[in-house]
Amino acid sequence: MADHADDGNEGGGGDRDIFVYRGGLAPQHVTHVRIDKSVEVIDEDAFNCCEDLVHVETHDRIRRVGERAFFGCKSLRNIDLRSVVEIGEDAFYECVSLTDVQFGNKLETIGKYAFIQCTSLEHLNLTSIITVKTWAFRSCKALTSIKFSERLETIELNAFCACERLRHIAIPLKRDLFTFNPELQEYNQFSRCEQLTTVDLVGGAHNKTIASLHMDSWRTEMIAEINRINQVLPNTPADEKTESIKRWVDSVIDGMDHYKAEHHRYVKEALTLLELALWKAKLDEKEENFAEGGTKKKAKLDAESVRKEKRVTCGAGTVIRNILPFLKLE
């Protein structure tokens, strides 16, 4: 069901007609659309090839955009999808005038070919996305920057292939972000992105870990390794950029794992030495007291019981927690 409505002016004498969408397929001639508040899913093919569609007014209860819902809507300029959880396959295929899409903090999945050849789309702020499917943003030739969040888990094959002006991406520090092409034996998520030169890490976990490392040299080395990608990437061939990013992510994670292990080894040694020092100090004090007030035999027996007690209750744990806050690593 779908109805027409005026633009809200008194008497119904608006400058244009607004089509109220309540489900199903819309007429091909619509230019301005209001999605009725009863609609939670924009159906498959709902506005397929509505080439005159310019504006869509959404609401905060829409959960899904169906397959090919706005396929070939060549005049559509912007759309608010802040409540949407999933965008289906081919949903905005070849929406060549689309410059701005507002994604919210609920979006989890962008389907195959969802925004392929949206040649006017310039920026992506994907604050909650978990999965970007195959070819989702292929040939978005005006796209210059992409920001993901720590929730990102997978970018599938060719997702951003041939985004010729893409210069900057921000990704989380995670292994296996990129799926592998077994036929070509390569990672090609950013294939043919000649201008991709800058990669930043999102989330603060890596910064906290680096700041907590015990040695200054370790911290310096890890910061240098994180910065290395932006020195290497400008000179990396376009078809090798994804592979280079993948190797860099693995290298940073491996480095952090290595230095965390070294950190904990040093801490364990320090704890052991501290425990022995405290135990010896307590033992010496106790033996002195015994020597002053009793026989040597009694002192020896009591000393053995003190050793046994101090192995368990030397108090070292309390001292460490108070003076070595760097022990706890993310």
Side-chain angles (χ1 to χ4, degrees):
M1 288 290 294
D3 296 327
H4 290 281
D6 61 36
D7 66 352
N9 293 339
E10 291 185 9
D15 295 330
R16 61 178 183 263
D17 287 335
I18 296 178
F19 179 82
V20 180
Y21 176 80
R22 293 190 173 91
L25 305 182
Q28 293 288 295
H29 67 274
V30 295
T31 59
H32 293 76
V33 169
R34 179 188 303 139
I35 308 296
D36 190 78
K37 290 188 179 296
S38 63
V39 173
E40 293 188 0
V41 176
I42 299 176
D43 291 335
E44 295 179 7
D45 298 302
F47 300 94
N48 192 326
C49 292
C50 291
E51 295 189 3
D52 297 324
L53 179 61
V54 174
H55 177 75
V56 178
E57 179 185 330
T58 59
H59 57 79
D60 61 5
R61 289 201 291 271
I62 300 172
R63 296 292 175 261
R64 186 177 190 277
V65 178
E67 296 179 6
R68 301 174 303 279
F70 295 93
F71 186 106
C73 292
K74 297 183 177 182
S75 300
L76 182 63
R77 298 169 192 160
N78 56 71
I79 191 166
D80 187 339
L81 301 176
R82 281 179 288 189
S83 64
V84 171
V85 176
E86 181 181 1
I87 298 173
E89 185 173 329
D90 292 315
F92 293 89
Y93 190 111
E94 212 172 41
C95 291
V96 295
S97 298
L98 191 63
T99 60
D100 180 36
V101 183
Q102 297 181 56
F103 300 105
N105 58 9
K106 298 177 181 178
L107 183 63
E108 296 180 354
T109 303
I110 296 176
K112 294 180 180 180
Y113 316 106
F115 292 90
I116 192 171
Q117 296 184 38
C118 290
T119 53
S120 298
L121 195 60
E122 295 183 4
H123 307 285
L124 293 175
N125 190 14
L126 300 169
T127 58
S128 62
I129 197 71
I130 295 173
T131 302
V132 181
K133 295 284 189 179
T134 303
W135 301 93
F137 292 91
R138 186 188 188 279
S139 297
C140 290
K141 297 183 183 296
L143 186 62
T144 61
S145 65
I146 310 166
K147 183 176 182 179
F148 296 102
S149 76
E150 290 181 286
R151 295 188 66 193
L152 179 68
E153 294 180 1
T154 306
I155 303 176
E156 294 188 357
L157 296 172
N158 289 296
F160 297 94
C161 174
C163 292
E164 298 171 354
R165 297 184 186 176
L166 181 62
R167 296 192 298 270
H168 172 261
I169 62 172
I171 58 174
L173 187 63
K174 291 182 181 179
R175 294 191 194 273
D176 303 321
L177 281 179
F178 309 120
T179 57
F180 184 65
N181 187 330
E183 295 180 3
L184 299 177
Q185 291 291 299
E186 66 178 10
Y187 297 92
N188 59 13
Q189 281 72 6
F190 298 99
S191 177
R192 295 166 57 191
C193 295
E194 290 85 357
Q195 295 188 37
L196 180 57
T197 58
T198 306
V199 180
D200 291 328
L201 293 176
V202 296
H206 59 284
N207 290 326
K208 291 179 183 177
T209 298
I210 291 172
S212 298
L213 291 175
H214 180 49
M215 304 282 283
D216 287 341
S217 60
W218 299 351
R219 294 194 290 270
T220 299
E221 185 171 334
M222 289 311 309
I223 291 170
E225 180 61 17
I226 287 175
N227 292 334
R228 181 178 62 84
I229 187 63
N230 297 324
Q231 300 165 4
V232 170
L233 209 56
N235 300 317
T236 302
D239 289 341
E240 298 176 16
K241 289 184 185 288
T242 311
E243 177 70 36
S244 182
I245 295 168
K246 167 75 167 54
R247 288 197 306 268
W248 166 72
V249 167
D250 289 344
S251 175
V252 172
I253 293 174
D254 288 343
M256 286 192 172
D257 287 345
H258 169 72
Y259 285 127
K260 282 195 288 186
E262 286 294 290
H263 175 97
H264 286 299
R265 183 175 67 81
Y266 273 81
V267 168
K268 188 175 180 180
E269 290 178 0
L271 282 169
T272 301
L273 292 172
L274 182 57
E275 183 175 350
L276 288 171
L278 290 170
W279 169 54
K280 185 177 184 302
K282 292 280 187 180
L283 182 60
D284 290 344
E285 180 184 351
K286 193 73 172 179
E287 286 180 337
E288 286 177 8
N289 292 336
F290 281 139
E292 291 175 1
T295 65
K296 291 184 178 180
K297 182 176 180 181
K298 182 178 179 183
K300 183 178 180 181
L301 292 172
D302 287 342
E304 289 177 354
S305 67
V306 169
R307 287 191 185 95
K308 183 176 180 181
E309 176 189 357
K310 294 308 175 185
R311 286 190 189 107
V312 180
T313 60
C314 68
T318 302
V319 173
I320 289 294
R321 281 198 297 271
N322 288 338
I323 67 170
L324 299 178
F326 62 80
L327 291 185
K328 227 176 168 183
L329 283 178
E330 295 294 331

